[in-house]
Amino acid sequence: MNKIRKKRLVSVMTLIATSFLGVYLILSALNSNLDYFYTPSEIINAEIPNNKRVKLGGMVQMQSVIRDGTNISFNITDFSNSINVSYNGVVPDLFKEGSGIVAYGMIVDNRLIAENIFAKHDENYMPPNIKIPSE
Amino acid sequence: MLKKLYHQFASPKTYVVLVNKMYPYIFYFSLCIYTIALVWGLAYAPADYMQGNSFRIMYLHVPASFLSQSLYLVMAIAAAVFLVWKVKLAAYMIKSIAPIGALVTFIALVSGSIWGIPTWGTWWQWDARITSTLILFIMYLGLISLHGSFTNFEKADKFISVLVLVGFVNIPIIKKSVDWWSTLHQPASITLTNKPSIDPSMLYPLFFSMIGFSGLIICLVILSSKVQIFNREGNKSWVKDHV
């Protein structure tokens, strides 16, 4: 490899390294601000002020779903803490006890008044007749 | 000997003669494979235990998303080759891949949105995976318009290559976004280290769809690169006979 090409190769490497370093610094400064939702533990520890809109994500706690007409109330849990969520409207098809859910709404006295409910689905795909492997 | 081979391969003429020969094979092979994958995936693969039939859009969404990132990787390699070795063909490739990359990224975004409605209950959320993919789409568009804004092609090639390399930083971010941050999008089902978390009856058609779709997109890239070569070297005598 001749001298000019070697020099160019070094500049190309420097260019790539600099852009990676720059973006790494930006991302580490943003840190968890890029997270899509908070977990129940994060919300409880952060003591979010009343009437602030947040996205809360976790699992729908087993045996916590109470339906009353179109009103629905349930707990979102991360298995160490849970927060009660109430919502008026149609929940997505994938909403089930034990399934992953993201609720968007206002925190009022450590309860979440949801305006939107989104369902998360995990990376597992299988036919319905196969028994779901227990965790 | 090796040097001669390398110079030959880097010449647009050898490239055009080679791809002209290969084009029909690649096209009909990939068309067959993708048709098989679609019939298999849409009609014969079982419904998913959670999502029912809506998961079947993965036979378009997964190959399109995969290609949106791999095409960018190819562009980044071409950009480095062009900047270091000044291989003209590499510069033509960047210009010809950019619109195809924008197309597959658009397909990935739209198919993802359509998939999102029945599963997530929303077609758009600003989570890390969706946002970084949108940035990739905008970057493809930016590269196209940057190249178009120059009257001097040599200068345009240089600038576009630098921008491709700077933008490459987004590719690992898209890939790892579902691991680094909480997202609405699912984590990867197929990884290099773990067993795929998709049942084989759904996984095999997915592999077929990825091979077939990639082949069809490669055909588009070949066609687009011939247009580039014609535009840039159209005054040369060999071009009339081959392109």
Side-chain angles (χ1 to χ4, degrees):
Chain A
M1 200 187 263
N2 70 30
K3 245 186 191 150
I4 301 172
R5 280 177 193 158
K6 204 171 256 172
K7 216 175 135 193
R8 287 197 207 123
L9 185 66
V10 172
S11 350
V12 165
M13 292 304 196
T14 320
L15 176 72
I16 298 173
T18 324
S19 28
F20 269 79
L21 182 70
V23 172
Y24 171 76
L25 291 176
I26 294 172
L27 292 184
S28 43
L30 285 168
N31 195 6
S32 60
N33 285 321
L34 292 171
D35 276 326
Y36 177 67
F37 54 78
Y38 296 105
T39 62
S41 301
E42 279 168 345
I43 292 210
I44 285 170
N45 293 334
E47 293 185 1
I48 309 266
N50 272 359
N51 302 328
K52 188 169 157 48
R53 281 189 174 78
V54 292
K55 289 196 198 78
L56 169 68
M59 300 289 177
V60 179
Q61 199 165 37
M62 289 294 182
Q63 280 116 35
S64 72
V65 179
I66 301 160
R67 286 173 198 266
D68 173 24
T70 54
N71 288 315
I72 183 165
S73 152
F74 56 92
N75 292 344
I76 288 186
T77 175
D78 57 5
F79 302 112
S80 50
N81 285 298
S82 68
I83 288 182
N84 182 264
V85 178
S86 54
Y87 177 64
N88 182 7
V90 182
V91 292
D93 288 348
L94 265 60
F95 180 95
K96 257 177 222 155
E97 290 190 338
S99 68
I101 245 38
V102 177
Y104 173 71
M106 266 192 254
I107 293 280
V108 179
D109 301 329
N110 281 328
R111 294 174 70 243
L112 186 89
I113 315 293
E115 293 161 22
N116 288 103
I117 302 272
F118 306 122
K120 254 173 85 74
H121 66 85
D122 60 13
E123 66 277 28
N124 297 306
Y125 292 87
M126 59 189 126
N129 52 351
I130 289 181
K131 191 102 176 79
I132 300 157
S134 52
E135 280 163 35
Chain B
M1 166 66 189
L2 197 70
K3 204 162 181 187
K4 195 179 161 223
L5 205 72
Y6 156 79
H7 276 286
Q8 255 184 11
F9 188 72
S11 104
K13 188 181 172 184
T14 325
Y15 167 79
V16 169
V17 172
L18 185 74
V19 294
N20 275 347
K21 254 188 229 156
M22 281 161 50
Y23 184 83
Y25 297 103
I26 303 177
F27 179 72
Y28 287 109
F29 173 77
S30 342
L31 192 67
C32 285
I33 295 284
Y34 196 53
T35 313
I36 293 171
L38 285 186
V39 173
W40 190 354
L42 299 185
Y44 293 99
D48 181 54
Y49 78 114
M50 277 287 278
Q51 299 184 37
N53 283 320
S54 62
F55 93 95
R56 294 179 201 277
I57 199 169
M58 75 154 67
Y59 299 112
L60 177 64
H61 180 73
V62 175
S65 316
F66 165 73
L67 276 169
S68 68
Q69 295 163 45
S70 351
L71 285 180
Y72 201 97
L73 177 68
V74 176
M75 279 204 320
I77 294 169
V81 168
F82 175 72
L83 286 177
V84 177
W85 287 278
K86 300 287 164 199
V87 177
K88 279 196 169 154
L89 182 61
Y92 303 163
M93 289 317 286
I94 299 174
K95 183 79 202 297
S96 32
I97 289 174
I100 318 283
L103 173 76
V104 289
T105 314
F106 185 70
I107 295 176
L109 286 168
V110 170
S111 61
S113 290
I114 295 172
W115 196 356
I117 295 167
T119 44
W120 298 337
T122 176
W123 65 277
W124 192 268
Q125 283 295 305
W126 296 98
D127 85 346
R129 172 58 70 82
I130 305 172
T131 310
S132 55
T133 306
L134 180 69
I135 291 171
L136 179 67
F137 178 61
I138 294 168
M139 248 156 44
Y140 276 123
L141 297 185
L143 289 169
I144 298 167
S145 51
L146 178 75
H147 201 281
S149 68
F150 282 93
T151 42
N152 179 340
F153 279 137
E154 277 69 38
K155 227 179 196 169
D157 288 341
K158 217 171 164 178
F159 271 84
I160 202 179
S161 304
V162 170
L163 192 64
V164 166
L165 286 178
V166 172
F168 179 67
V169 71
N170 192 26
I171 298 301
I173 293 178
I174 298 177
K175 186 90 198 90
K176 299 302 281 179
S177 57
V178 286
D179 303 325
W180 289 343
W181 303 291
S182 65
T183 54
L184 192 57
H185 193 282
Q186 63 158 86
S189 293
I190 305 167
T191 55
L192 290 175
T193 43
N194 294 325
K195 203 167 146 282
S197 57
I198 303 180
D199 190 79
S201 58
M202 302 155 161
L203 187 63
Y204 293 133
L206 185 61
F207 279 139
F208 272 69
S209 75
M210 287 174 85
I211 295 167
F213 193 83
S214 303
L216 291 173
I217 295 300
I218 287 170
C219 287
L220 276 184
V221 171
I222 289 175
L223 292 178
S224 157
S225 67
K226 280 165 75 175
V227 173
Q228 283 307 314
I229 290 169
F230 187 80
N231 278 348
R232 301 286 291 272
E233 310 217 339
N235 51 358
K236 291 185 181 157
S237 59
W238 66 267
V239 172
K240 276 203 185 76
D241 308 328
H242 293 289
V243 180

